[in-house]
Coordinates of all heavy atoms in Angstrom, one line a residue:
M1 N 96.3 71.2 -15.5 CA 96.4 72.1 -14.3 C 95.1 72.6 -13.9 O 94.1 72.6 -14.6 CB 97.3 73.3 -14.7 CG 98.7 72.9 -15.1 SD 99.6 72.6 -13.5 CE 101.2 72.3 -14.2
G2 N 95.1 73.1 -12.6 CA 93.9 73.6 -12.1 C 93.5 75.0 -12.6 O 94.3 75.6 -13.3
R3 N 92.4 75.4 -12.3 CA 91.9 76.8 -12.7 C 92.7 77.8 -11.9 O 92.8 77.7 -10.7 CB 90.4 76.8 -12.4 CG 89.8 78.1 -12.8 CD 88.3 78.0 -12.5 NE 88.1 78.1 -11.1 CZ 87.4 79.1 -10.5 NH1 86.8 80.0 -11.2 NH2 87.2 79.1 -9.2
E4 N 93.2 78.8 -12.6 CA 93.9 79.9 -11.9 C 92.9 80.8 -11.2 O 91.8 81.1 -11.8 CB 94.8 80.7 -12.8 CG 96.2 80.2 -12.9 CD 97.1 81.1 -13.5 OE1 97.2 82.3 -13.1 OE2 97.8 80.7 -14.4
I5 N 93.2 81.3 -10.0 CA 92.3 82.2 -9.3 C 93.0 83.6 -9.4 O 94.1 83.8 -9.1 CB 92.2 81.7 -7.8 CG1 91.5 80.4 -7.8 CG2 91.4 82.7 -7.0 CD1 91.5 79.7 -6.4
E6 N 92.1 84.6 -9.7 CA 92.6 86.0 -9.7 C 92.9 86.5 -8.3 O 92.0 86.3 -7.4 CB 91.5 86.9 -10.3 CG 91.5 86.9 -11.8 CD 92.8 87.5 -12.4 OE1 93.3 88.5 -12.0 OE2 93.3 86.8 -13.3
P7 N 94.0 87.0 -8.1 CA 94.3 87.6 -6.7 C 93.4 88.8 -6.4 O 93.1 89.6 -7.3 CB 95.8 88.0 -6.8 CG 96.3 87.6 -8.1 CD 95.2 87.1 -9.0
T8 N 93.0 88.9 -5.2 CA 92.1 90.0 -4.8 C 92.9 91.0 -4.0 O 92.4 92.1 -3.7 CB 91.0 89.5 -3.9 OG1 91.5 89.0 -2.7 CG2 90.2 88.4 -4.6
G9 N 94.1 90.7 -3.5 CA 94.8 91.6 -2.7 C 94.5 91.3 -1.2 O 95.1 92.0 -0.3
L10 N 93.6 90.4 -0.9 CA 93.2 90.1 0.4 C 93.9 88.8 0.9 O 93.6 88.3 2.0 CB 91.7 90.0 0.6 CG 91.0 91.3 0.3 CD1 89.5 91.1 0.3 CD2 91.4 92.4 1.2
E11 N 94.7 88.2 0.0 CA 95.3 86.9 0.4 C 96.3 87.1 1.5 O 97.0 88.1 1.5 CB 96.0 86.3 -0.8 CG 95.1 85.9 -2.0 CD 94.7 87.2 -2.8 OE1 95.4 88.2 -2.8 OE2 93.7 87.1 -3.5
I12 N 96.3 86.1 2.4 CA 97.3 86.2 3.5 C 97.9 84.8 3.7 O 97.3 83.8 3.4 CB 96.7 86.7 4.9 CG1 95.6 85.8 5.3 CG2 96.2 88.1 4.7 CD1 95.1 86.0 6.8
A13 N 99.0 84.8 4.3 CA 99.6 83.5 4.7 C 100.1 83.7 6.2 O 100.8 84.7 6.5 CB 100.8 83.2 3.8
V14 N 99.7 82.8 7.0 CA 100.1 82.9 8.4 C 101.2 81.8 8.6 O 100.9 80.6 8.4 CB 99.0 82.6 9.4 CG1 99.5 82.6 10.8 CG2 97.9 83.7 9.2
I15 N 102.4 82.2 8.8 CA 103.5 81.3 8.9 C 104.2 81.5 10.3 O 104.5 82.6 10.7 CB 104.6 81.6 7.8 CG1 103.9 81.4 6.4 CG2 105.7 80.6 7.9 CD1 104.7 81.9 5.3
G16 N 104.4 80.4 11.0 CA 105.0 80.5 12.3 C 105.7 79.2 12.6 O 105.4 78.2 12.0
M17 N 106.6 79.3 13.5 CA 107.3 78.1 13.9 C 107.6 78.3 15.4 O 108.0 79.4 15.9 CB 108.6 78.0 13.1 CG 109.2 76.6 13.2 SD 110.3 76.4 11.8 CE 111.8 77.1 12.3
S18 N 107.5 77.2 16.1 CA 107.8 77.2 17.5 C 108.5 75.9 17.9 O 108.3 74.9 17.2 CB 106.5 77.4 18.3 OG 106.7 77.3 19.7
G19 N 109.2 75.9 19.0 CA 109.9 74.7 19.4 C 110.7 74.9 20.7 O 111.1 76.0 21.0
R20 N 110.9 73.8 21.4 CA 111.8 73.8 22.5 C 112.7 72.6 22.3 O 112.3 71.5 21.9 CB 111.0 73.6 23.8 CG 110.1 74.8 24.1 CD 109.4 74.8 25.4 NE 109.1 73.4 25.9 CZ 108.3 73.2 26.9 NH1 107.8 74.1 27.6 NH2 108.1 71.9 27.3
F21 N 114.0 72.9 22.6 CA 115.0 71.9 22.3 C 116.0 71.8 23.5 O 116.0 72.7 24.3 CB 115.8 72.4 21.0 CG 114.9 72.7 19.9 CD1 114.4 74.0 19.7 CD2 114.6 71.7 19.0 CE1 113.5 74.3 18.7 CE2 113.7 72.0 17.9 CZ 113.2 73.3 17.8
P22 N 116.8 70.8 23.5 CA 117.8 70.7 24.6 C 118.7 71.9 24.5 O 119.2 72.3 23.5 CB 118.6 69.4 24.3 CG 117.6 68.6 23.5 CD 116.8 69.6 22.7
G23 N 118.7 72.7 25.6 CA 119.6 73.9 25.6 C 119.0 75.1 25.0 O 119.6 76.2 24.9
A24 N 117.7 75.0 24.5 CA 117.1 76.2 23.8 C 115.6 76.1 24.0 O 115.0 75.1 23.7 CB 117.4 76.1 22.3
E25 N 115.1 77.2 24.5 CA 113.6 77.3 24.8 C 112.9 77.9 23.6 O 111.6 78.0 23.7 CB 113.4 78.1 26.1 CG 113.9 77.4 27.3 CD 113.1 76.2 27.7 OE1 111.8 76.3 27.7 OE2 113.7 75.2 27.9
S26 N 113.5 78.2 22.5 CA 112.9 78.8 21.4 C 113.7 78.5 20.1 O 114.8 78.1 20.2 CB 112.7 80.3 21.5 OG 114.0 80.9 21.5
I27 N 113.1 78.8 19.0 CA 113.7 78.6 17.7 C 114.9 79.6 17.6 O 116.0 79.3 17.1 CB 112.7 78.9 16.5 CG1 111.6 77.9 16.5 CG2 113.5 79.0 15.2 CD1 112.0 76.5 16.1
D28 N 114.7 80.8 18.1 CA 115.8 81.8 18.0 C 117.0 81.4 18.9 O 118.1 81.5 18.5 CB 115.3 83.2 18.5 CG 114.4 83.9 17.5 OD1 114.4 83.6 16.3 OD2 113.5 84.7 18.0
E29 N 116.7 80.8 20.1 CA 117.8 80.4 20.9 C 118.5 79.2 20.3 O 119.7 79.1 20.4 CB 117.2 80.0 22.3 CG 118.3 79.9 23.4 CD 117.7 79.6 24.7 OE1 116.5 79.9 25.0 OE2 118.4 79.2 25.6
L30 N 117.7 78.3 19.7 CA 118.4 77.2 19.0 C 119.3 77.7 17.9 O 120.4 77.2 17.7 CB 117.3 76.2 18.4 CG 117.8 75.1 17.5 CD1 118.7 74.1 18.4 CD2 116.7 74.4 16.8
Y31 N 118.8 78.6 17.1 CA 119.6 79.2 16.0 C 120.9 79.8 16.5 O 122.0 79.5 16.0 CB 118.8 80.2 15.2 CG 119.6 80.9 14.2 CD1 120.0 80.3 13.0 CD2 120.1 82.2 14.4 CE1 120.8 80.9 12.0 CE2 120.9 82.8 13.4 CZ 121.2 82.2 12.3 OH 122.0 82.8 11.4
N32 N 120.8 80.6 17.6 CA 122.0 81.2 18.2 C 122.9 80.1 18.7 O 124.1 80.3 18.6 CB 121.6 82.2 19.3 CG 121.0 83.5 18.7 OD1 121.4 83.9 17.6 ND2 120.0 84.0 19.4
N33 N 122.4 79.1 19.3 CA 123.3 78.0 19.8 C 124.0 77.3 18.6 O 125.2 77.1 18.7 CB 122.4 77.0 20.6 CG 122.0 77.4 21.9 OD1 122.4 78.5 22.4 ND2 121.2 76.7 22.6
L34 N 123.3 77.0 17.6 CA 123.9 76.4 16.4 C 125.0 77.4 15.8 O 126.1 76.9 15.5 CB 122.9 76.1 15.4 CG 121.9 75.0 15.7 CD1 120.8 74.9 14.7 CD2 122.6 73.6 15.9
K35 N 124.6 78.6 15.7 CA 125.5 79.6 15.1 C 126.8 79.8 15.9 O 127.9 80.0 15.3 CB 124.8 80.9 14.9 CG 125.6 82.0 14.2 CD 124.7 83.3 14.0 CE 124.4 83.9 15.4 NZ 123.7 85.2 15.3
N36 N 126.6 79.7 17.2 CA 127.8 80.0 18.1 C 128.5 78.7 18.6 O 129.3 78.8 19.5 CB 127.3 80.8 19.3 CG 126.8 82.2 18.8 OD1 127.5 82.8 18.1 ND2 125.7 82.6 19.3
G37 N 128.1 77.5 18.1 CA 128.7 76.3 18.4 C 128.4 75.8 19.9 O 129.3 75.2 20.5
V38 N 127.3 76.2 20.4 CA 126.9 75.8 21.8 C 126.6 74.3 21.8 O 125.7 73.9 21.0 CB 125.7 76.6 22.3 CG1 125.3 76.1 23.7 CG2 126.1 78.1 22.4
E39 N 127.2 73.5 22.6 CA 127.0 72.1 22.8 C 125.8 71.9 23.7 O 125.9 72.3 24.9 CB 128.2 71.4 23.3 CG 128.1 69.9 23.5 CD 127.8 69.2 22.2 OE1 128.7 69.0 21.4 OE2 126.6 68.7 22.0
S40 N 124.8 71.3 23.3 CA 123.6 71.0 24.1 C 123.5 69.6 24.6 O 122.5 69.2 25.2 CB 122.3 71.4 23.4 OG 122.3 72.8 23.1
I41 N 124.4 68.8 24.2 CA 124.5 67.4 24.6 C 125.4 67.3 25.8 O 126.5 67.9 25.8 CB 125.0 66.5 23.5 CG1 124.1 66.6 22.2 CG2 125.1 65.0 24.0 CD1 122.7 66.2 22.4
E42 N 125.0 66.6 26.8 CA 125.8 66.4 28.1 C 126.4 65.0 28.1 O 125.7 64.0 27.9 CB 124.9 66.6 29.3 CG 125.5 66.4 30.6 CD 124.5 66.5 31.7 OE1 123.3 66.6 31.5 OE2 124.9 66.4 32.9
F43 N 127.7 64.9 28.3 CA 128.4 63.7 28.4 C 128.6 63.3 29.8 O 129.0 64.2 30.6 CB 129.7 63.7 27.6 CG 129.5 63.9 26.1 CD1 129.5 65.2 25.6 CD2 129.3 62.8 25.3 CE1 129.2 65.3 24.2 CE2 129.1 62.9 24.0 CZ 129.0 64.2 23.4
L44 N 128.2 62.1 30.2 CA 128.2 61.7 31.6 C 129.4 60.8 31.9 O 129.9 60.0 31.1 CB 126.9 60.9 31.9 CG 125.7 61.7 31.6 CD1 124.5 60.8 31.7 CD2 125.5 62.9 32.5
S45 N 129.9 60.9 33.1 CA 131.0 60.1 33.6 C 130.5 58.7 34.0 O 129.3 58.5 34.2 CB 131.7 60.7 34.8 OG 130.9 60.7 35.9
R46 N 131.4 57.8 34.1 CA 131.0 56.4 34.6 C 130.3 56.5 35.9 O 129.2 55.8 36.1 CB 132.3 55.6 34.7 CG 132.1 54.2 35.1 CD 133.4 53.5 35.2 NE 133.3 52.1 35.1 CZ 133.2 51.4 33.9 NH1 133.3 52.1 32.8 NH2 133.1 50.1 33.9
E47 N 130.8 57.3 36.8 CA 130.1 57.5 38.1 C 128.7 58.0 38.0 O 127.8 57.6 38.7 CB 131.0 58.3 39.1 CG 132.3 57.7 39.4 CD 133.4 57.8 38.3 OE1 133.3 58.6 37.4 OE2 134.2 56.8 38.3
E48 N 128.5 59.0 37.2 CA 127.2 59.6 37.0 C 126.2 58.6 36.4 O 125.1 58.5 36.8 CB 127.3 60.8 36.1 CG 128.0 62.0 36.7 CD 128.2 63.2 35.7 OE1 128.7 62.9 34.6 OE2 127.9 64.3 36.1
L49 N 126.7 57.8 35.5 CA 125.9 56.8 34.9 C 125.5 55.7 35.9 O 124.3 55.4 36.0 CB 126.6 56.1 33.7 CG 126.9 57.0 32.5 CD1 127.9 56.3 31.6 CD2 125.5 57.2 31.8
L50 N 126.4 55.3 36.7 CA 126.1 54.3 37.8 C 125.1 54.9 38.8 O 124.2 54.3 39.2 CB 127.4 53.9 38.5 CG 128.3 53.0 37.6 CD1 129.7 52.8 38.3 CD2 127.7 51.7 37.3
D51 N 125.3 56.2 39.1 CA 124.4 56.9 40.1 C 123.0 57.0 39.5 O 122.0 57.0 40.2 CB 124.9 58.3 40.4 CG 126.1 58.3 41.3 OD1 126.4 57.2 42.0 OD2 126.7 59.3 41.5
L52 N 122.9 57.0 38.2 CA 121.6 57.1 37.5 C 120.9 55.7 37.3 O 119.8 55.6 36.8 CB 121.7 57.8 36.1 CG 122.0 59.3 36.1 CD1 122.4 59.8 34.7 CD2 120.8 60.0 36.6
G53 N 121.7 54.7 37.7 CA 121.1 53.4 37.6 C 121.4 52.6 36.3 O 120.8 51.5 36.1
V54 N 122.4 53.1 35.5 CA 122.8 52.4 34.3 C 123.6 51.2 34.8 O 124.6 51.4 35.5 CB 123.5 53.3 33.4 CG1 123.9 52.6 32.1 CG2 122.6 54.5 33.0
S55 N 123.4 50.1 34.2 CA 124.1 48.9 34.7 C 125.5 48.9 34.1 O 125.8 49.5 33.0 CB 123.4 47.6 34.2 OG 123.5 47.5 32.8
Q56 N 126.4 48.2 34.8 CA 127.8 48.1 34.4 C 127.9 47.5 33.0 O 128.7 47.9 32.2 CB 128.5 47.2 35.5 CG 130.0 47.1 35.3 CD 130.7 48.4 35.7 OE1 130.2 49.1 36.6 NE2 131.8 48.7 35.1
S57 N 127.1 46.5 32.7 CA 127.2 45.8 31.4 C 126.8 46.7 30.3 O 127.4 46.7 29.2 CB 126.3 44.5 31.4 OG 124.9 44.9 31.6
V58 N 125.8 47.6 30.5 CA 125.5 48.6 29.5 C 126.6 49.6 29.3 O 127.0 49.9 28.2 CB 124.2 49.3 29.9 CG1 123.9 50.5 29.0 CG2 123.0 48.4 29.9
I59 N 127.2 50.1 30.4 CA 128.3 51.0 30.3 C 129.5 50.5 29.6 O 130.1 51.1 28.8 CB 128.7 51.5 31.7 CG1 127.6 52.3 32.4 CG2 130.0 52.3 31.7 CD1 127.8 52.6 33.9
E60 N 129.7 49.2 29.7 CA 130.9 48.5 29.1 C 130.6 48.1 27.7 O 131.5 47.7 26.9 CB 131.3 47.3 29.9 CG 131.9 47.7 31.3 CD 132.1 46.5 32.2 OE1 131.8 45.3 31.8 OE2 132.6 46.7 33.3
N61 N 129.4 48.2 27.2 CA 129.0 47.9 25.8 C 129.7 48.9 24.9 O 129.5 50.1 25.0 CB 127.5 47.9 25.6 CG 127.1 47.5 24.2 OD1 127.7 47.8 23.3 ND2 126.0 46.8 24.2
P62 N 130.5 48.4 23.9 CA 131.2 49.3 23.0 C 130.3 50.2 22.2 O 130.7 51.3 21.7 CB 132.1 48.5 22.1 CG 131.5 47.1 22.3 CD 130.8 47.0 23.6
N63 N 129.0 49.8 22.1 CA 128.0 50.6 21.3 C 127.3 51.7 22.2 O 126.5 52.5 21.6 CB 127.0 49.7 20.6 CG 127.7 48.9 19.6 OD1 128.5 49.3 18.8 ND2 127.3 47.6 19.5
F64 N 127.5 51.6 23.4 CA 126.8 52.6 24.4 C 127.4 53.9 24.2 O 128.7 54.1 24.2 CB 126.9 52.1 25.8 CG 126.3 53.0 26.8 CD1 124.9 53.1 26.9 CD2 127.1 53.7 27.7 CE1 124.3 54.0 27.8 CE2 126.5 54.6 28.6 CZ 125.1 54.7 28.6
V65 N 126.6 54.9 24.1 CA 127.0 56.3 24.1 C 126.6 57.0 25.4 O 125.5 57.1 25.7 CB 126.4 57.1 22.9 CG1 126.8 58.5 22.9 CG2 126.7 56.4 21.6
N66 N 127.6 57.5 26.1 CA 127.4 58.1 27.5 C 127.0 59.5 27.4 O 127.6 60.4 27.9 CB 128.6 57.9 28.4 CG 129.8 58.6 27.9 OD1 129.9 58.8 26.7 ND2 130.6 59.1 28.8
A67 N 125.9 59.8 26.6 CA 125.5 61.2 26.4 C 124.0 61.3 26.6 O 123.3 60.3 26.4 CB 125.9 61.7 25.0
R68 N 123.5 62.5 26.9 CA 122.1 62.7 27.0 C 121.8 64.2 26.7 O 122.7 65.0 26.8 CB 121.6 62.4 28.4 CG 122.0 63.3 29.5 CD 121.4 63.0 30.8 NE 121.9 63.9 31.9 CZ 121.5 63.8 33.1 NH1 120.7 62.9 33.5 NH2 122.0 64.6 34.0
S69 N 120.5 64.4 26.5 CA 120.1 65.8 26.3 C 118.8 65.9 27.2 O 118.1 65.0 27.3 CB 119.8 66.2 24.9 OG 118.8 65.3 24.3
T70 N 118.7 67.1 27.8 CA 117.5 67.3 28.7 C 116.8 68.5 28.3 O 117.3 69.4 27.6 CB 118.0 67.4 30.1 OG1 118.9 68.4 30.3 CG2 118.6 66.1 30.6
F71 N 115.5 68.5 28.6 CA 114.6 69.7 28.4 C 114.2 70.3 29.7 O 113.9 69.5 30.6 CB 113.4 69.2 27.6 CG 113.6 68.7 26.3 CD1 113.9 67.4 26.1 CD2 113.5 69.5 25.2 CE1 114.2 66.9 24.8 CE2 113.7 69.0 23.9 CZ 114.1 67.7 23.7
K72 N 114.1 71.6 29.7 CA 113.4 72.2 30.9 C 111.9 71.9 30.7 O 111.4 71.9 29.6 CB 113.7 73.7 30.9 CG 115.1 74.1 31.2 CD 115.3 75.6 31.2 CE 116.7 75.9 31.4 NZ 117.0 77.3 31.3
S73 N 111.2 71.7 31.8 CA 109.8 71.5 31.7 C 109.3 70.4 30.9 O 108.3 70.4 30.2 CB 109.0 72.8 31.3 OG 109.5 73.9 32.0
A74 N 110.1 69.3 30.9 CA 109.8 68.1 30.1 C 108.4 67.5 30.5 O 107.7 66.9 29.6 CB 110.9 67.0 30.3
E75 N 108.0 67.7 31.7 CA 106.7 67.2 32.1 C 105.5 67.9 31.4 O 104.4 67.4 31.3 CB 106.5 67.4 33.6 CG 106.4 68.8 34.1 CD 107.7 69.6 34.3 OE1 108.8 68.9 34.1 OE2 107.7 70.8 34.6
E76 N 105.8 69.0 30.7 CA 104.8 69.7 30.0 C 104.6 69.1 28.5 O 103.7 69.5 27.8 CB 105.1 71.2 29.9 CG 105.0 71.9 31.2 CD 105.4 73.4 31.1 OE1 105.5 73.9 30.0 OE2 105.7 73.9 32.2
F77 N 105.5 68.2 28.1 CA 105.5 67.7 26.8 C 104.2 66.8 26.7 O 104.0 65.9 27.5 CB 106.7 66.9 26.5 CG 106.8 66.2 25.2 CD1 106.9 67.0 24.0 CD2 106.6 64.9 25.0 CE1 106.9 66.5 22.8 CE2 106.6 64.3 23.7 CZ 106.8 65.1 22.6
D78 N 103.5 67.0 25.6 CA 102.2 66.2 25.4 C 102.5 65.0 24.5 O 102.3 65.1 23.3 CB 101.2 67.1 24.8 CG 99.8 66.4 24.7 OD1 99.7 65.2 25.1 OD2 98.9 67.0 24.2
S79 N 103.1 63.9 25.1 CA 103.4 62.8 24.2 C 102.2 62.1 23.6 O 102.4 61.5 22.5 CB 104.2 61.7 25.1 OG 103.4 61.3 26.1
D80 N 101.1 62.2 24.2 CA 99.9 61.6 23.6 C 99.5 62.3 22.3 O 99.0 61.7 21.4 CB 98.7 61.7 24.5 CG 98.8 60.8 25.7 OD1 99.6 59.8 25.6 OD2 98.2 61.0 26.7
F81 N 99.9 63.6 22.1 CA 99.6 64.3 20.9 C 100.4 63.8 19.7 O 99.9 63.8 18.6 CB 100.0 65.8 21.1 CG 99.7 66.7 19.9 CD1 98.4 67.1 19.6 CD2 100.8 67.1 19.1 CE1 98.2 67.9 18.5 CE2 100.6 67.9 18.0 CZ 99.3 68.3 17.7
F82 N 101.6 63.3 20.0 CA 102.4 62.7 19.0 C 102.3 61.2 18.9 O 102.7 60.6 18.0 CB 103.9 63.1 19.2 CG 104.0 64.6 19.1 CD1 104.0 65.4 20.3 CD2 104.2 65.3 17.9 CE1 104.2 66.8 20.2 CE2 104.3 66.6 17.8 CZ 104.3 67.4 19.0

């Protein structure tokens, strides 16, 4: 094991969490959504999918899921960072 360090009383820990999620602009809002059963996934009709440019063959695929989630201010997401 490593050498133990005597505490000085000046030790600090900075702990924080931040995030934006579909239907929630903060961790607190996400927690409240989960706690209250808020659905943040949107299910689209066949017409909506066609209007969005999804092809008929994709829509008819039995493995296709007609759902999406969206973010406010998605253009602010820094994909290069990840």
Side-chain angles (χ1 to χ4, degrees):
M1 295 283 182
R3 183 178 74 119
E4 269 197 50
I5 299 173
E6 276 298 311
T8 66
L10 300 174
E11 297 77 21
I12 62 168
V14 177
I15 301 171
M17 198 159 82
S18 178
R20 292 188 329 193
F21 309 88
E25 292 292 308
S26 69
I27 298 290
D28 290 334
E29 195 174 345
L30 175 66
Y31 174 75
N32 285 326
N33 286 352
L34 293 170
K35 183 174 69 171
N36 296 313
V38 173
E39 179 64 71
S40 296
I41 303 297
E42 175 184 8
F43 294 91
L44 304 171
S45 71
R46 179 182 206 84
E47 293 73 28
E48 289 170 314
L49 292 167
L50 290 169
D51 288 345
L52 289 169
V54 179
S55 72
Q56 188 75 30
S57 62
V58 169
I59 294 170
E60 292 173 357
N61 183 325
N63 294 319
F64 178 70
V65 179
N66 65 330
R68 71 176 177 180
S69 58
T70 57
F71 295 86
K72 292 180 183 174
S73 308
E75 68 278 356
E76 295 176 13
F77 180 71
D78 186 1
S79 60
D80 290 340
F81 181 76
F82 297 95

